[in-house]
Amino acid sequence: MSVRYLDDLPRTADAVVIGGGVVGASTALHLSRAGLECVLLEARPRLCTLTTPVAAGAFRLQFDNLEELELVRESTETFLHFEDATGQRTYPLDVRQRGYLWLTTSDERASEQRDLVAQLHAWGQDDVELLSGDDARSRFPWVGPDVVQARFRAGDGFLDTKALTFGMAAGSGAGVAVATAATGFAVEGGRLRAVLTPAGEIACGAAVIATGPMSSPVARLAGLDLPIVTV
């Protein structure tokens, strides 16, 4: 299964996703899983060509709040079983679980680190290790002598953000239109009626703005004020 590129825009869709980076592709995949017919618009000539391909592609299960931890747990399951999760084999995900090591050089931060590891274990993330400075240096010889403590999870790692984006876009089955910007929104009675493009309008009841640093100007086309500033 490959990305389903469109030669012509459909007249209607259940939802239109604007933005062909990782967030747009993920949104299209989840909309498809919910049973919605989706169209994915990307203003640039190809998917995944703005901020997504220059992202670090790192993932970790070491957070100080349960909500974020649970979200990334779900994402990690998708990463580790990517082809089954997306139902496609065209874009395998190069997951490299090399571990995520956090170092501290102060007793104060070491105390905070111990509390965090204990909290992670209480939340069921018991594969996060607490290492003394000597243990860290024994396992990672490049760690400096000023390090007093560390935490480490071997299952954390990195992935290919392009493969992630293309795989989710393909798995979504959404029709993808590149070089097709959203130029406006038709809104009647406070409800969305259609998304406007240079190639025509797509009648729909829902649209998702997933354009990263361009989200604010795209939202203004719908009369919305998103307080997002690109630096």
Side-chain angles (χ1 to χ4, degrees):
M1 180 187 295
S2 298
V3 175
R4 184 166 69 89
Y5 291 103
L6 299 173
D7 294 323
D8 300 297
L9 289 182
R11 292 180 179 273
T12 64
D14 293 324
V16 174
V17 178
I18 303 162
V22 66
V23 174
S26 177
T27 301
L29 180 65
H30 284 82
L31 288 172
S32 175
R33 288 176 174 173
L36 299 179
E37 186 70 26
C38 178
V39 174
L40 178 62
L41 302 181
E42 170 53 51
R44 294 162 71 87
R46 282 179 58 84
L47 295 177
C48 192
T49 58
L50 192 59
T51 56
T52 295
V54 295
F59 66 93
R60 57 186 169 88
L61 292 177
Q62 301 186 56
F63 293 95
D64 62 2
N65 65 90
L66 182 59
E67 293 81 4
E68 193 168 11
L69 179 65
E70 289 179 336
L71 283 171
V72 182
R73 277 175 175 163
E74 183 178 347
S75 296
T76 301
E77 282 302 303
T78 297
F79 301 155
L80 296 180
H81 306 94
F82 189 64
E83 295 180 19
D84 290 336
T86 55
Q88 56 82 40
R89 297 289 185 271
T90 307
Y91 308 98
L93 193 59
D94 179 22
V95 176
R96 291 150 287 160
Q97 289 177 278
R98 297 174 179 171
Y100 223 110
L101 179 68
W102 295 76
L103 307 172
T104 183
T105 58
S106 75
D107 292 336
E108 178 183 0
R109 294 305 299 271
S111 176
E112 294 172 0
Q113 194 174 66
R114 287 192 294 273
D115 291 343
L116 175 57
V117 172
Q119 182 63 79
L120 286 166
H121 288 184
W123 288 333
Q125 204 62 52
D126 54 9
D127 56 354
V128 179
E129 303 176 67
L130 187 67
L131 306 175
S132 69
D134 288 340
D135 288 340
R137 279 181 286 275
S138 175
R139 291 173 61 174
F140 309 100
W142 41 264
V143 171
D146 57 337
V147 170
V148 298
Q149 188 175 271
R151 58 182 163 93
F152 179 68
R153 181 177 180 272
D156 294 339
F158 298 84
L159 50 78
D160 183 335
T161 56
K162 287 188 176 181
L164 179 65
T165 302
F166 279 91
M168 290 192 296
S172 74
V176 175
V178 295
T180 306
T183 56
F185 299 88
V187 180
E188 293 180 358
R191 299 185 66 86
L192 178 67
R193 183 181 64 79
V195 173
L196 312 182
T197 81
E201 68 177 45
I202 306 171
C204 59
V208 179
I209 298 171
T211 53
M214 300 305 296
S215 294
S216 184
V218 173
R220 280 199 295 271
L221 298 174
L224 301 175
D225 182 22
L226 292 183
I228 297 172
V229 178
T230 302
V231 178

